[in-house]
Amino acid sequence: MKEKILVANRGEIAVRLQRGIREAGFSPVAIFTAVDRRSHHLAHADEAIEVDSYLNARSILEAVRRSGAVAIHPGYGFLSENAEFAALCAEACVVFIGPTAAAIRALGSKTAARQAAQCAGAPIVPGTDGPVTSIEDAKRVSRIIGYPVLIKAAAGGGGKGMRLVETESELESAVRGAAGEAASSFGSAEVYIEKALIQPRHIEIQVFGDNHGNLVHLGERECSIQRRHQKVIEECPSPLVERYPEMRAAMGEAALRVARAAGYTNAGTAEFLVDTDRNFYFLEMNTRLQVEHPVTELVTSLDLVQMQLDVAFGGTLPVRQADVVLRGAAIQCRLYAEDPANEYLPSPGRIERLRLPAGPGIRLDNGVYEGWNVPMEYDPLLAKLCVWAQDRPRAIARMSRALRETEILGIANNVGFFRQLLADARFQAGDLHTGFLKEFHYVPNNDLSDAELEAALAVLGAAAPAPNPAPVAARSRWSQR
Amino acid sequence: MKRLLITEHVEKEIDFDPAAHPVAELESGSAVVLLGGEVHRITRAGDLILVNGKQIRLSLADPRDRRRNASANGDSGRRDVKAAMPGKVVKTLVNPGDIVEAGAGLLILEAMKMQNEVRSPRAGRVAAVRVAVADTVASGQVLVTLE
């Protein structure tokens, strides 16, 4: 009988992990909550167990016990960066597919990671040494480092529990808001403060370690296109690093120093901010597989989930640093259930129609299906549309083509937004920074030409019952009416 | 034949001949229409239609059925603040009788792990708070009434 691995997640990442688990010769076990009873990820599992929450370590470990799974893959979000959960897995003799509890503790909290980076000699952004203890403390620190400042969840990621504060009057409500969001998303209300850099780029380095002392970096990802501090487009390689290739080695070395100091194993990502003078600052270490890992996979020809499984069961890394080669260019668009014309408001609801792209160079990590009700309880990520091509201009052309083939009807979504963004001259020039989307103005273009209106009417008229029914010809796929 | 064309922005009577254009149904809900050799891609669910990737709401009615119930929302001093998205009420920030400034926070809605503060569209007095903490609200549901 095949050994089982439980995926403690939902949506597209649960699908991606179950695919990898199956390919590696294991049997995937899914968990789901009451609102996710009809979730797409169940179809990719051999076994599925209901739990009360994706955040409840106890019920997830109970599901592991019931299924007899030998390992847990936490995915991203939820319990993925929770050191206690990793420790509980170790106690229960279940392999936690990720770094050790000690490494998560050393790096998983953003405040701890900043201290670790300082010790390892990697540059960091000015800010608090530890979590904020009071509003007075927050005000004092913000005055010293100077506004604007960022309030961030110590346990956070994905822009949740983060607020940009321009003046002291906004500070208190921002700290409370961030802490509330942090508590509901990560189960910890701890926040800290960091100076907000002006027009920085967000560039991150993928690192990977095994239990035999091997540690490599797999190049960078450019993730500067963000809204609400959450990434929407990711690329590998970074257009900036492509112009200044010495940055890759320097940032890679800084990332490895931090990882080495923490005894890091398995997949991790060192996030950096890069200022307009190309100075880079270590931001945090994400001690998990990233949402944007596919672009690295496409450009390095490595399967990160396969490597995670191998390493977790004691295997060695399949590559040395010198073997890591970046080839071509990959772009990922995160398809979200949100309204880009209305402050990116989340848009749960029923997907009435879903048309997904295919063809050369397309990779689609999808978590939804036509007819599904996207629930309001979880993240609005529907699917990740990724492309690979020989170079960045061709990858952009390919993504534009793929977006033309992509149709989502019934809920607000960002497909039309991506079509415009990829046509933007500054985006095409690779002239990016994290405030890019504040300057890029998306105006939904839903004006139909006369011909388009006529075409729509033809379909409506064909579907509507005619007031005077004409004799209907034999049904054929091409029915002339 | 005369039909009434209804979109989000216009409502007008048009001459419409459904027999004039060939429609190729590709799969449930999707079709291609050829107009002078030009391909137009249509995907549709009810009155929601994507035409070459552009989304509109469009429906056809018989002009003889025209019986639009003119919106009887003439209570000029009152204004309903509606939910722009479905969500859960995390916190209410005002009580009936409170005087609020334009832009003041009225309540906090949470959906998809994002908390959004619903702000007052204008200055006024809170006539009623229509929801309570932990309520689930639909998009368009009235949250607060101002006067």
Side-chain angles (χ1 to χ4, degrees), chain A residues 78-132:
Chain A
F78 298 122
L79 293 171
S80 61
E81 297 182 85
N82 185 313
E84 279 90 296
F85 182 61
L88 281 175
C89 290
E91 264 170 47
C93 293
V94 180
V95 176
F96 176 85
I97 300 170
T100 59
I104 297 177
R105 226 168 260 132
L107 294 170
S109 148
K110 297 188 183 191
T111 46
R114 285 168 59 83
Q115 286 159 8
Q118 250 177 327
C119 295
I124 61 167
V125 184
T128 46
D129 291 330
V132 170

Short mmCIF file of all heavy atoms in Angstrom, two decimals, chain A residues 78-132:
data_model
loop_
_atom_site.label_atom_id
_atom_site.label_comp_id
_atom_site.label_asym_id
_atom_site.label_seq_id
_atom_site.Cartn_x
_atom_site.Cartn_y
_atom_site.Cartn_z
N PHE A 78 -2.21 29.66 6.72
CA PHE A 78 -2.68 28.77 7.79
C PHE A 78 -1.56 28.41 8.77
O PHE A 78 -0.93 29.29 9.34
CB PHE A 78 -3.36 27.53 7.20
CG PHE A 78 -4.59 27.87 6.39
CD1 PHE A 78 -4.70 27.51 5.06
CD2 PHE A 78 -5.64 28.60 6.95
CE1 PHE A 78 -5.83 27.83 4.31
CE2 PHE A 78 -6.78 28.93 6.22
CZ PHE A 78 -6.86 28.54 4.89
N LEU A 79 -1.25 27.10 8.91
CA LEU A 79 -0.28 26.69 9.93
C LEU A 79 1.14 26.54 9.39
O LEU A 79 2.03 26.03 10.07
CB LEU A 79 -0.73 25.35 10.55
CG LEU A 79 -2.02 25.43 11.38
CD1 LEU A 79 -2.49 24.03 11.76
CD2 LEU A 79 -1.81 26.27 12.64
N SER A 80 1.36 26.98 8.14
CA SER A 80 2.64 26.67 7.48
C SER A 80 3.84 27.24 8.20
O SER A 80 4.93 26.69 8.12
CB SER A 80 2.61 27.15 6.03
OG SER A 80 2.43 28.55 5.98
N GLU A 81 3.67 28.40 8.87
CA GLU A 81 4.83 29.00 9.53
C GLU A 81 4.66 29.02 11.04
O GLU A 81 5.19 29.89 11.73
CB GLU A 81 5.07 30.40 8.96
CG GLU A 81 5.39 30.31 7.48
CD GLU A 81 5.69 31.66 6.85
OE1 GLU A 81 6.85 32.08 6.94
OE2 GLU A 81 4.79 32.27 6.29
N ASN A 82 3.91 28.05 11.52
CA ASN A 82 3.62 27.97 12.95
C ASN A 82 4.56 26.93 13.57
O ASN A 82 4.43 25.73 13.35
CB ASN A 82 2.14 27.55 13.10
CG ASN A 82 1.67 27.54 14.53
OD1 ASN A 82 2.35 27.00 15.40
ND2 ASN A 82 0.51 28.10 14.77
N ALA A 83 5.52 27.43 14.36
CA ALA A 83 6.56 26.55 14.93
C ALA A 83 5.96 25.51 15.87
O ALA A 83 6.41 24.36 15.89
CB ALA A 83 7.61 27.38 15.65
N GLU A 84 4.92 25.93 16.62
CA GLU A 84 4.29 24.97 17.55
C GLU A 84 3.69 23.79 16.79
O GLU A 84 3.76 22.66 17.23
CB GLU A 84 3.19 25.64 18.38
CG GLU A 84 3.70 26.41 19.57
CD GLU A 84 3.99 27.87 19.21
OE1 GLU A 84 4.89 28.13 18.38
OE2 GLU A 84 3.31 28.73 19.74
N PHE A 85 3.10 24.12 15.64
CA PHE A 85 2.51 23.04 14.85
C PHE A 85 3.59 22.09 14.35
O PHE A 85 3.45 20.86 14.43
CB PHE A 85 1.72 23.62 13.67
CG PHE A 85 1.05 22.58 12.82
CD1 PHE A 85 0.09 21.74 13.35
CD2 PHE A 85 1.39 22.43 11.48
CE1 PHE A 85 -0.54 20.77 12.57
CE2 PHE A 85 0.78 21.47 10.69
CZ PHE A 85 -0.18 20.63 11.24
N ALA A 86 4.69 22.64 13.87
CA ALA A 86 5.81 21.80 13.42
C ALA A 86 6.31 20.93 14.57
O ALA A 86 6.62 19.75 14.40
CB ALA A 86 6.93 22.67 12.85
N ALA A 87 6.37 21.54 15.77
CA ALA A 87 6.83 20.79 16.94
C ALA A 87 5.84 19.68 17.31
O ALA A 87 6.24 18.56 17.64
CB ALA A 87 7.03 21.74 18.13
N LEU A 88 4.54 19.99 17.24
CA LEU A 88 3.51 18.98 17.52
C LEU A 88 3.61 17.81 16.55
O LEU A 88 3.43 16.65 16.94
CB LEU A 88 2.11 19.61 17.42
CG LEU A 88 1.64 20.44 18.61
CD1 LEU A 88 0.30 21.10 18.31
CD2 LEU A 88 1.53 19.56 19.87
N CYS A 89 3.90 18.12 15.27
CA CYS A 89 4.06 17.06 14.28
C CYS A 89 5.23 16.15 14.67
O CYS A 89 5.12 14.92 14.61
CB CYS A 89 4.31 17.65 12.89
SG CYS A 89 2.87 18.45 12.19
N ALA A 90 6.34 16.78 15.05
CA ALA A 90 7.52 16.00 15.44
C ALA A 90 7.19 15.10 16.62
O ALA A 90 7.55 13.92 16.64
CB ALA A 90 8.67 16.95 15.77
N GLU A 91 6.46 15.65 17.61
CA GLU A 91 6.06 14.86 18.79
C GLU A 91 5.21 13.66 18.38
O GLU A 91 5.32 12.59 18.96
CB GLU A 91 5.22 15.73 19.73
CG GLU A 91 6.01 16.36 20.85
CD GLU A 91 5.15 17.38 21.58
OE1 GLU A 91 3.99 17.06 21.91
OE2 GLU A 91 5.66 18.50 21.80
N ALA A 92 4.33 13.89 17.39
CA ALA A 92 3.41 12.83 16.95
C ALA A 92 4.08 11.89 15.94
O ALA A 92 3.41 11.04 15.35
CB ALA A 92 2.16 13.45 16.35
N CYS A 93 5.40 12.08 15.73
CA CYS A 93 6.15 11.26 14.78
C CYS A 93 5.60 11.35 13.36
O CYS A 93 5.52 10.36 12.64
CB CYS A 93 6.21 9.81 15.23
SG CYS A 93 7.18 9.60 16.71
N VAL A 94 5.15 12.54 12.99
CA VAL A 94 4.69 12.80 11.63
C VAL A 94 5.69 13.75 11.00
O VAL A 94 6.10 14.73 11.64
CB VAL A 94 3.30 13.47 11.65
CG1 VAL A 94 2.82 13.74 10.24
CG2 VAL A 94 2.31 12.60 12.39
N VAL A 95 6.10 13.46 9.78
CA VAL A 95 7.07 14.34 9.12
C VAL A 95 6.38 15.65 8.73
O VAL A 95 5.36 15.63 8.03
CB VAL A 95 7.66 13.66 7.87
CG1 VAL A 95 8.59 14.61 7.13
CG2 VAL A 95 8.40 12.38 8.27
N PHE A 96 6.89 16.77 9.18
CA PHE A 96 6.40 18.08 8.77
C PHE A 96 7.23 18.50 7.57
O PHE A 96 8.45 18.63 7.67
CB PHE A 96 6.56 19.06 9.93
CG PHE A 96 6.17 20.48 9.60
CD1 PHE A 96 4.85 20.88 9.68
CD2 PHE A 96 7.13 21.41 9.20
CE1 PHE A 96 4.49 22.19 9.38
CE2 PHE A 96 6.77 22.72 8.90
CZ PHE A 96 5.44 23.11 8.98
N ILE A 97 6.58 18.67 6.41
CA ILE A 97 7.34 18.97 5.20
C ILE A 97 7.62 20.46 5.14
O ILE A 97 6.81 21.27 4.69
CB ILE A 97 6.61 18.46 3.94
CG1 ILE A 97 6.44 16.94 4.06
CG2 ILE A 97 7.39 18.83 2.68
CD1 ILE A 97 5.55 16.33 3.02
N GLY A 98 8.79 20.80 5.66
CA GLY A 98 9.19 22.19 5.79
C GLY A 98 10.38 22.24 6.71
O GLY A 98 10.93 21.19 7.07
N PRO A 99 10.81 23.43 7.11
CA PRO A 99 11.96 23.53 8.00
C PRO A 99 11.63 23.01 9.40
O PRO A 99 10.47 22.73 9.71
CB PRO A 99 12.24 25.04 8.03
CG PRO A 99 10.96 25.69 7.61
CD PRO A 99 10.26 24.73 6.72
N THR A 100 12.63 22.89 10.24
CA THR A 100 12.41 22.43 11.61
C THR A 100 11.71 23.52 12.43
O THR A 100 11.74 24.70 12.07
CB THR A 100 13.75 22.14 12.32
OG1 THR A 100 14.52 23.37 12.32
CG2 THR A 100 14.54 21.06 11.60
N ALA A 101 11.07 23.09 13.53
CA ALA A 101 10.40 24.05 14.40
C ALA A 101 11.40 25.12 14.87
O ALA A 101 11.06 26.30 14.97
CB ALA A 101 9.79 23.33 15.60
N ALA A 102 12.63 24.70 15.13
CA ALA A 102 13.64 25.65 15.62
C ALA A 102 13.95 26.70 14.56
O ALA A 102 14.07 27.90 14.87
CB ALA A 102 14.91 24.90 16.01
N ALA A 103 14.06 26.27 13.29
CA ALA A 103 14.35 27.23 12.22
C ALA A 103 13.18 28.17 12.00
O ALA A 103 13.36 29.37 11.74
CB ALA A 103 14.70 26.49 10.93
N ILE A 104 11.95 27.64 12.11
CA ILE A 104 10.77 28.50 11.96
C ILE A 104 10.75 29.54 13.07
O ILE A 104 10.49 30.71 12.84
CB ILE A 104 9.46 27.67 11.99
CG1 ILE A 104 9.41 26.70 10.81
CG2 ILE A 104 8.24 28.60 11.95
CD1 ILE A 104 8.20 25.79 10.81
N ARG A 105 11.07 29.08 14.27
CA ARG A 105 11.09 29.99 15.41
C ARG A 105 12.14 31.08 15.20
O ARG A 105 11.91 32.25 15.46
CB ARG A 105 11.38 29.21 16.70
CG ARG A 105 10.47 29.59 17.84
CD ARG A 105 10.57 28.61 19.00
NE ARG A 105 9.49 27.64 19.01
CZ ARG A 105 9.67 26.33 19.17
NH1 ARG A 105 10.89 25.83 19.31
NH2 ARG A 105 8.64 25.52 19.18
N ALA A 106 13.29 30.66 14.71
CA ALA A 106 14.40 31.62 14.53
C ALA A 106 14.09 32.62 13.43
O ALA A 106 14.56 33.76 13.48
CB ALA A 106 15.68 30.87 14.23
N LEU A 107 13.33 32.22 12.41
CA LEU A 107 13.13 33.08 11.24
C LEU A 107 11.68 33.39 10.94
O LEU A 107 11.36 34.36 10.26
CB LEU A 107 13.73 32.40 10.00
CG LEU A 107 15.24 32.23 9.99
CD1 LEU A 107 15.64 31.34 8.83
CD2 LEU A 107 15.92 33.58 9.88
N GLY A 108 10.76 32.53 11.41
CA GLY A 108 9.36 32.64 11.01
C GLY A 108 8.72 33.91 11.49
O GLY A 108 7.95 34.54 10.77
N SER A 109 9.02 34.32 12.70
CA SER A 109 8.54 35.62 13.16
C SER A 109 9.41 36.67 12.51
O SER A 109 10.64 36.57 12.47
CB SER A 109 8.64 35.70 14.68
OG SER A 109 8.91 37.03 15.06
N LYS A 110 8.77 37.70 11.97
CA LYS A 110 9.53 38.72 11.24
C LYS A 110 10.50 39.44 12.16
O LYS A 110 11.58 39.84 11.73
CB LYS A 110 8.56 39.71 10.60
CG LYS A 110 7.67 39.05 9.56
CD LYS A 110 6.86 40.04 8.79
CE LYS A 110 5.94 39.31 7.82
NZ LYS A 110 5.31 40.21 6.86
N THR A 111 10.10 39.62 13.42
CA THR A 111 10.99 40.33 14.35
C THR A 111 12.22 39.48 14.65
O THR A 111 13.34 39.98 14.68
CB THR A 111 10.25 40.67 15.65
OG1 THR A 111 9.53 39.52 16.08
CG2 THR A 111 9.27 41.80 15.44
N ALA A 112 12.01 38.17 14.81
CA ALA A 112 13.14 37.27 15.07
C ALA A 112 14.06 37.22 13.85
O ALA A 112 15.29 37.20 13.98
CB ALA A 112 12.63 35.87 15.41
N ALA A 113 13.45 37.23 12.65
CA ALA A 113 14.25 37.15 11.42
C ALA A 113 15.14 38.38 11.27
O ALA A 113 16.28 38.29 10.82
CB ALA A 113 13.32 37.01 10.21
N ARG A 114 14.60 39.53 11.65
CA ARG A 114 15.39 40.76 11.55
C ARG A 114 16.62 40.67 12.45
O ARG A 114 17.73 41.05 12.05
CB ARG A 114 14.55 41.97 11.97
CG ARG A 114 13.53 42.39 10.92
CD ARG A 114 12.54 43.38 11.47
NE ARG A 114 13.16 44.60 11.97
CZ ARG A 114 13.50 45.64 11.21
NH1 ARG A 114 13.26 45.59 9.92
NH2 ARG A 114 14.05 46.71 11.72
N GLN A 115 16.42 40.12 13.66
CA GLN A 115 17.56 39.98 14.57
C GLN A 115 18.56 38.98 14.01
O GLN A 115 19.77 39.21 14.03
CB GLN A 115 17.07 39.55 15.96
CG GLN A 115 16.39 40.71 16.70
CD GLN A 115 15.46 40.25 17.81
OE1 GLN A 115 15.42 39.07 18.14
NE2 GLN A 115 14.72 41.18 18.37
N ALA A 116 18.03 37.87 13.46
CA ALA A 116 18.92 36.85 12.89
C ALA A 116 19.72 37.42 11.73
O ALA A 116 20.92 37.15 11.59
CB ALA A 116 18.09 35.65 12.43
N ALA A 117 19.06 38.24 10.90
CA ALA A 117 19.74 38.82 9.74
C ALA A 117 20.84 39.76 10.19
O ALA A 117 21.95 39.77 9.63
CB ALA A 117 18.73 39.56 8.86
N GLN A 118 20.54 40.55 11.22
CA GLN A 118 21.54 41.48 11.74
C GLN A 118 22.77 40.73 12.21
O GLN A 118 23.90 41.12 11.90
CB GLN A 118 20.95 42.27 12.92
CG GLN A 118 20.73 43.73 12.58
CD GLN A 118 20.08 44.48 13.72
OE1 GLN A 118 19.28 43.93 14.47
NE2 GLN A 118 20.40 45.74 13.83
N CYS A 119 22.54 39.63 12.94
CA CYS A 119 23.65 38.81 13.44
C CYS A 119 24.44 38.21 12.27
O CYS A 119 25.66 38.08 12.32
CB CYS A 119 23.16 37.70 14.35
SG CYS A 119 22.40 38.32 15.84
N ALA A 120 23.71 37.81 11.21
CA ALA A 120 24.37 37.16 10.07
C ALA A 120 25.01 38.18 9.13
O ALA A 120 25.63 37.81 8.15
CB ALA A 120 23.36 36.30 9.31
N GLY A 121 24.81 39.46 9.41
CA GLY A 121 25.46 40.49 8.61
C GLY A 121 24.73 40.84 7.33
O GLY A 121 25.33 41.35 6.38
N ALA A 122 23.42 40.59 7.30
CA ALA A 122 22.65 41.00 6.13
C ALA A 122 21.99 42.34 6.44
O ALA A 122 21.49 42.53 7.55
CB ALA A 122 21.59 39.95 5.80
N PRO A 123 21.97 43.28 5.48
CA PRO A 123 21.39 44.60 5.75
C PRO A 123 19.88 44.52 5.98
O PRO A 123 19.19 43.77 5.30
CB PRO A 123 21.69 45.39 4.47
CG PRO A 123 21.96 44.37 3.42
CD PRO A 123 22.49 43.16 4.11
N ILE A 124 19.37 45.28 6.96
CA ILE A 124 17.92 45.29 7.22
C ILE A 124 17.37 46.72 7.21
O ILE A 124 18.11 47.67 7.39
CB ILE A 124 17.54 44.62 8.56
CG1 ILE A 124 18.19 45.35 9.74
CG2 ILE A 124 17.92 43.15 8.57
CD1 ILE A 124 17.60 44.95 11.08
N VAL A 125 16.05 46.83 7.01
CA VAL A 125 15.38 48.13 7.02
C VAL A 125 15.27 48.61 8.48
O VAL A 125 14.95 47.80 9.36
CB VAL A 125 13.96 47.99 6.42
CG1 VAL A 125 13.27 49.36 6.32
CG2 VAL A 125 14.02 47.34 5.06
N PRO A 126 15.50 49.93 8.76
CA PRO A 126 15.37 50.41 10.13
C PRO A 126 13.97 50.19 10.69
O PRO A 126 12.98 50.32 9.95
CB PRO A 126 15.64 51.92 10.01
CG PRO A 126 16.24 52.14 8.67
CD PRO A 126 15.91 50.97 7.82
N GLY A 127 13.87 49.84 11.98
CA GLY A 127 12.56 49.62 12.60
C GLY A 127 12.71 49.10 14.01
O GLY A 127 13.79 49.18 14.60
N THR A 128 11.61 48.55 14.57
CA THR A 128 11.65 48.05 15.94
C THR A 128 12.45 46.74 16.01
O THR A 128 12.45 45.96 15.06
CB THR A 128 10.24 47.77 16.50
OG1 THR A 128 9.49 47.07 15.51
CG2 THR A 128 9.53 49.05 16.83
N ASP A 129 13.10 46.54 17.16
CA ASP A 129 13.86 45.30 17.34
C ASP A 129 12.92 44.13 17.64
O ASP A 129 13.18 43.01 17.27
CB ASP A 129 14.85 45.45 18.50
CG ASP A 129 15.97 46.41 18.13
OD1 ASP A 129 16.29 46.49 16.93
OD2 ASP A 129 16.49 47.08 19.04
N GLY A 130 11.82 44.43 18.32
CA GLY A 130 10.87 43.37 18.66
C GLY A 130 9.45 43.84 18.43
O GLY A 130 9.25 44.90 17.83
N PRO A 131 8.47 43.08 18.88
CA PRO A 131 7.07 43.47 18.68
C PRO A 131 6.71 44.75 19.44
O PRO A 131 7.31 45.06 20.47
CB PRO A 131 6.29 42.29 19.21
CG PRO A 131 7.25 41.35 19.83
CD PRO A 131 8.62 41.76 19.50
N VAL A 132 5.72 45.47 18.94
CA VAL A 132 5.23 46.67 19.59
C VAL A 132 4.46 46.29 20.85
O VAL A 132 3.61 45.41 20.80
CB VAL A 132 4.28 47.43 18.62
CG1 VAL A 132 3.56 48.55 19.35
CG2 VAL A 132 5.06 47.97 17.44
#
